[in-house]
Amino acid sequence: MSVRVSLFATCVANEFFAEACADTVRLLRHLGVDLDVPRAQTCCGQPSHNSGHVEDARRMAAHTLDAFADAEYVVLPSGSCAAMIRAVYPDLIGTDAARALAARTYELTQFLVDVLAVESLGDGLRGLRIAYHHGCHALRELGVERQPVHLLRASGAEVVAWEADQECCGFGGLFSAKMPEVSAAMADRKLDTLPRVDVLTSADGGCLLQLDGRSRMRERGISVRHLAHLLWSATGR
Amino acid sequence: MSRVNPGGYREAAAATLRDEPDVRDSVGSATRTFDAHRRTAYGAIDVERWRDWARDVKSHALTHLDDYLEQAERALLDRGAQVHWAETAADALGVLDAIVERRGVRSAVKGKSMLSEELEVNAHLERLGVRPVETDLGEYIIQLLGEPPSHIVGPAIHKSLEDCRRLFHDRLGTPLSAEPDELAAAARHALRAEFLAADLGISGGNFLAADTGTLALIENEGNIRLSTSLPPVHVAFVGIEKVVPRFTDLAGLLQLTARAATGQPIGNFVSLIQGPRRSDEVDGPEEFHVVLVDNGRTTLFADDIAWEALRCVRCGACLNICPVYRQTGGHAYGWTYSGPIGSIISPGLLGLEEAMPLPNASSLCGACTDVCPVRIPIHELLHHWREEAVAEGLAPRGEAFGSRLYAAMATRPGAFRAGGGLLRHTPWPWIGRSLPVLGGWLQERAAPKPSRKSFLKLWDEGIE
């Protein structure tokens, strides 16, 4: 019997990384997953929660809880949104249903490696030099560290050493708009230490918007792609 | 108090980045070095157990604060110290008035103390006609410059070696090419005369052991040892949260604090002060005063969640790893305590309204929480203060409205999708800059590139 997954595209990826979400669909189907996309999904509530508007966040969390009530697994191509459901919902909502949803929610690479036990997706990334940015919530709240790097390396890519790979990019949701100057300086630290690579990637759309937006403003010519896109490319399909 | 200006954080941070780009280089390099040493020093011990233990000791002391403070007072009095209780900064500073008058104090040497910065001791001494002399090398540098410290442990880390060479050349006559050792020697020479002439020595306190009344001080330069033992009077300003139950607790706390702060197994000098000079001793002050300072700490303690911030041992590890702090250093935060720890204690000590927007001066990355030696959940407390700010109506009205509207749309999938469509078709580069949130975003970044169709649209149309 195949694994049933409900995909939560997340608000940022739905609008800005639609093709990466489509690649997530292709990848999970390729791996034999029975996939559905609940129509009622919107936003996990993280933007409101992080800025202290917890009542608004609670309403969005309750909505998301309903939208994914029937899901066997919930998979997100976004570390920070997955962390919102796993690490914040249980306290924010405080019900068994919230705790149960948290327990069956996974960031994409976490799901691939820890649940599906994927060792390798193919060798479609052979020869690519890739820099992987560890989003803070994926890293600290989900403990996602080796999974994305493992999958990229197993697909033939060289994941380069990068001294700032685990430093915050400065996105931080509304932080990036409230404190734009400091936020941009944080992105510059990432970009200025970045070794020469073919692609800069991450499991988080917010971080990618930040790094790509800053890179393009400074005309750095860095190719920024969502991790889900690279993982589908890894299959060579 | 003119120096208190957290409200100017964003402007001050932007100005530092724009007008003083060297600060980012100096602070970045110093904090990364501190943090690398901290990492190595943590790696050499079973640090998770140490952190658990230190958290428990400090939490226990805080939750029995009245008992331990009274015990400490009795022990201090037994050893011949004089104890003063100061509810406010004015009460604390008032202790100096009587001493200065009675002893005819004309100059005072000071060991490094953040609490003395919080209380603005130097300005008060000057009002009393006393010349305060900072004797920690970093503090000495910024005193010459007329600046407050920018870091808890390295007060002058925002200055480069070149800055110091020019300053010492102008003020102490060293050559412009002087090496760091020569600069330190020049400061040492100048300070030696100050130590010998001082009528008063002032220090802070890292820990106060309740059972023995022992004041523990950590340092690397020997200047605290001299400031507290050479002048005839020693006044120590000690925050009430610094009390710990037992003398034996100091062993672990002193080591863990040094490892967290500078990566040293222990400070070069540890002074364990047990009262004024006794009749059979050759060194030490005739008078030893301990000023136990509240100044907002009990208010912070009364907050059910934020009280954990009072465990802080002022090591600066959270500043060193903070990607926000690293961009500007501490001055932008507008008060004595900067970085992540400053942003969670200032709302308690100054009041939340006064401390805004410091809780927002963070991306909530959580790196600070990873390194705190007493396991203060720093990023969670930053979030707590944001939540409080919203509850007290201190969040910008536009933001509160925006969040409510966003939540209303996000609970109606059709409306949310329509809104998303609008977002994708907005001609960002042209109109985005004038919008509240997007304007801030676009100021520093090229406009984001929305997907041609949303994912849900692609899904509806069929993928592959």
Side-chain angles (χ1 to χ4, degrees):
Chain A
M1 211 178 106
S2 71
V3 176
R4 202 160 58 80
V5 165
S6 296
L7 182 69
F8 188 178
T10 76
C11 59
V12 164
N14 183 51
E15 306 297 342
F16 294 95
F17 299 95
E19 271 304 325
C21 295
D23 286 343
T24 307
V25 170
R26 295 179 183 110
L27 178 63
L28 289 171
R29 280 180 178 159
H30 168 71
L31 294 170
V33 165
D34 177 9
L35 193 84
D36 77 297
V37 177
R39 298 289 302 165
Q41 64 176 278
T42 56
C43 167
C44 67
Q46 189 180 191
S48 289
H49 185 261
N50 278 6
S51 46
H53 301 276
V54 285
E55 279 313 317
D56 298 331
R58 195 169 285 132
R59 289 167 60 201
M60 289 185 262
H63 176 84
T64 301
L65 205 56
D66 282 348
F68 290 90
D70 299 328
E72 183 180 325
Y73 289 103
V74 179
V75 172
L76 303 86
S78 163
S80 69
C81 309
M84 176 76 186
I85 297 177
R86 282 186 74 111
V88 177
Y89 276 19
D91 282 342
L92 188 65
I93 308 278
T95 61
D96 287 343
R99 283 184 284 274
L101 181 71
R104 55 183 206 268
T105 295
Y106 294 87
E107 180 276 329
L108 176 62
T109 64
Q110 194 182 21
F111 182 73
L112 296 178
V113 173
D114 299 351
V115 179
L116 296 186
V118 171
E119 281 295 325
S120 168
L121 293 164
D123 63 357
L125 303 179
R126 189 157 298 285
L128 270 190
R129 279 173 60 86
I130 295 178
Y132 182 77
H133 161 69
H134 289 269
C136 300
H137 294 168
L139 181 65
R140 297 204 173 80
E141 291 183 351
L142 299 179
V144 170
E145 184 174 8
R146 67 189 162 79
Q147 297 95 326
V149 175
H150 169 77
L151 289 174
L152 291 169
R153 287 201 173 127
S155 312
E158 179 191 354
V159 179
V160 300
W162 176 18
E163 65 170 296
D165 64 349
Q166 296 198 351
E167 283 181 31
C168 179
C169 68
F171 177 63
L174 283 181
F175 170 77
S176 60
K178 286 182 179 177
M179 307 294 173
E181 299 86 4
V182 171
S183 163
M186 292 162 73
D188 287 348
R189 155 80 182 159
K190 301 284 294 192
L191 298 173
D192 293 344
T193 54
L194 188 68
R196 192 184 48 76
V197 290
D198 299 307
V199 187
L200 165 60
T201 192
S202 175
D204 262 282
C207 307
L208 293 175
L209 286 181
Q210 159 87 346
L211 292 168
D212 180 55
R214 188 65 184 167
S215 161
R216 282 189 291 116
M217 175 172 251
R218 292 179 59 200
E219 299 179 345
R220 289 293 305 271
I222 296 167
S223 169
V224 178
R225 302 304 299 267
H226 195 288
L227 179 64
H229 170 75
L230 294 178
L231 295 181
W232 173 241
S233 301
T235 64
R237 302 254 157 182
Chain B
M1 287 187 285
S2 57
R3 267 177 46 195
V4 182
N5 183 26
Y9 171 78
R10 181 183 162 186
E11 292 73 19
T16 303
L17 288 165
R18 187 182 59 236
D19 305 332
E20 302 173 87
D22 292 352
V23 168
R24 180 168 176 258
D25 294 339
S26 297
V27 171
S29 144
T31 51
R32 287 186 184 95
T33 303
F34 273 139
D35 187 58
H37 291 163
R38 191 267 318 152
R39 190 182 299 265
T40 305
Y42 270 14
I45 57 175
D46 186 357
V47 75
E48 301 311 328
R49 279 186 65 194
W50 282 65
R51 294 171 75 202
D52 284 345
W53 171 83
R55 173 199 57 206
D56 292 347
V57 169
K58 290 287 287 184
S59 284
H60 171 81
L62 287 168
T63 50
H64 300 78
L65 197 56
D66 46 352
D67 292 340
Y68 286 122
L69 283 171
E70 281 175 21
Q71 199 186 339
E73 182 188 30
R74 282 195 301 274
L76 282 164
L77 292 173
D78 285 348
R79 291 182 181 274
Q82 301 181 49
V83 178
H84 311 263
W85 297 86
E87 197 179 325
T88 64
D91 295 341
L93 295 171
V95 172
L96 292 172
D97 296 6
I99 294 170
V100 165
E101 164 130 16
R102 182 165 44 78
R103 305 279 318 202
V105 175
R106 289 165 57 200
S107 75
V109 283
K110 274 188 66 202
K112 180 166 169 30
S113 153
M114 291 309 284
L115 176 53
S116 78
E117 292 291 332
E118 173 190 331
L119 302 171
E120 302 190 19
V121 165
N122 288 3
H124 186 74
L125 286 172
E126 283 166 2
R127 280 195 293 274
L128 296 174
V130 176
R131 199 165 55 85
V133 180
E134 294 288 351
T135 63
D136 171 270
L137 182 56
E139 291 280 351
Y140 180 68
I141 290 168
I142 57 168
Q143 189 182 28
L144 289 178
L145 291 164
E147 294 183 12
S150 69
H151 184 282
I152 294 175
V153 171
I157 62 162
H158 58 296
K159 293 294 170 193
S160 66
L161 177 56
E162 273 315 304
D163 293 332
C164 294
R165 281 178 170 144
R166 278 193 299 274
L167 175 72
F168 277 41
H169 174 73
D170 293 345
R171 303 295 287 273
L172 301 177
T174 49
L176 276 171
S177 60
E179 289 304 309
D181 282 353
E182 290 176 69
L183 298 176
R188 191 163 183 249
H189 181 74
L191 286 169
R192 182 62 51 146
E194 302 287 2
F195 282 121
L196 292 169
D199 312 299
L200 172 63
I202 293 175
S203 76
N206 290 99
F207 304 99
L208 175 62
D211 58 349
T212 55
T214 304
L215 181 69
L217 288 153
I218 308 174
E219 58 162 331
N220 280 329
E221 299 171 15
N223 64 302
I224 289 183
R225 179 72 54 83
L226 278 174
S227 298
T228 57
S229 57
L230 203 48
V233 183
H234 170 204
V235 176
F237 291 101
V238 183
I240 53 173
E241 82 280 21
K242 299 289 180 153
V243 72
V244 296
R246 300 169 305 180
F247 182 79
T248 51
D249 295 328
L250 297 177
L253 290 168
L254 289 166
Q255 294 180 69
L256 184 60
T257 301
R259 283 179 187 272
T262 54
Q264 295 167 282
I266 195 161
N268 288 352
F269 292 81
V270 171
S271 296
L272 300 174
I273 295 176
Q274 310 261 28
R277 181 169 68 207
R278 285 188 288 266
S279 53
D280 59 340
E281 290 174 336
V282 289
D283 291 320
E286 296 157 27
E287 296 179 27
F288 172 43
H289 299 260
V290 175
V291 188
L292 296 168
V293 182
D294 181 337
N295 202 33
R297 284 158 178 75
T298 48
T299 314
L300 180 51
F301 187 69
D303 187 301
D304 264 355
I305 293 173
W307 72 274
E308 293 194 68
L310 286 169
R311 284 202 298 266
C312 177
V313 295
R314 307 285 189 265
C315 67
C318 62
L319 279 61
N320 296 332
I321 203 164
C322 177
V324 174
Y325 176 89
R326 282 175 174 176
Q327 307 309 321
T328 65
H331 287 167
Y333 293 77
W335 197 42
T336 307
Y337 304 106
S338 59
I341 187 66
S343 298
I344 60 171
I345 60 179
S346 299
L349 299 185
L350 294 173
L352 182 54
E353 190 166 3
E354 174 97 15
M356 292 302 287
L358 293 187
N360 296 330
S362 163
S363 60
L364 298 184
C365 78
C368 45
T369 304
D370 284 353
V371 300
C372 178
V374 286
R375 290 202 193 282
I376 300 169
I378 302 176
H379 74 290
E380 291 173 23
L381 299 189
L382 285 163
H383 183 261
H384 163 71
W385 286 120
R386 293 182 185 187
E387 201 176 327
E388 284 296 299
V390 168
E392 293 177 25
L394 297 173
R397 257 206 234 149
E399 180 190 306
F401 175 78
S403 174
R404 213 159 45 240
L405 180 69
Y406 183 69
M409 287 179 63
T411 45
R412 294 169 182 79
F416 194 74
R417 224 152 285 155
L422 194 64
L423 192 71
R424 269 183 298 105
H425 295 113
T426 299
W428 289 65
W430 293 283
I431 72 157
R433 272 179 180 271
S434 58
L435 298 173
V437 174
L438 300 180
W441 216 84
L442 292 172
Q443 175 193 313
E444 303 289 341
R445 306 155 188 94
K449 292 182 187 158
S451 303
R452 254 194 307 279
K453 292 177 181 175
S454 75
F455 165 70
L456 290 172
K457 176 86 172 156
L458 294 178
W459 173 259
D460 286 346
E461 292 174 0
I463 290 167
E464 271 191 331

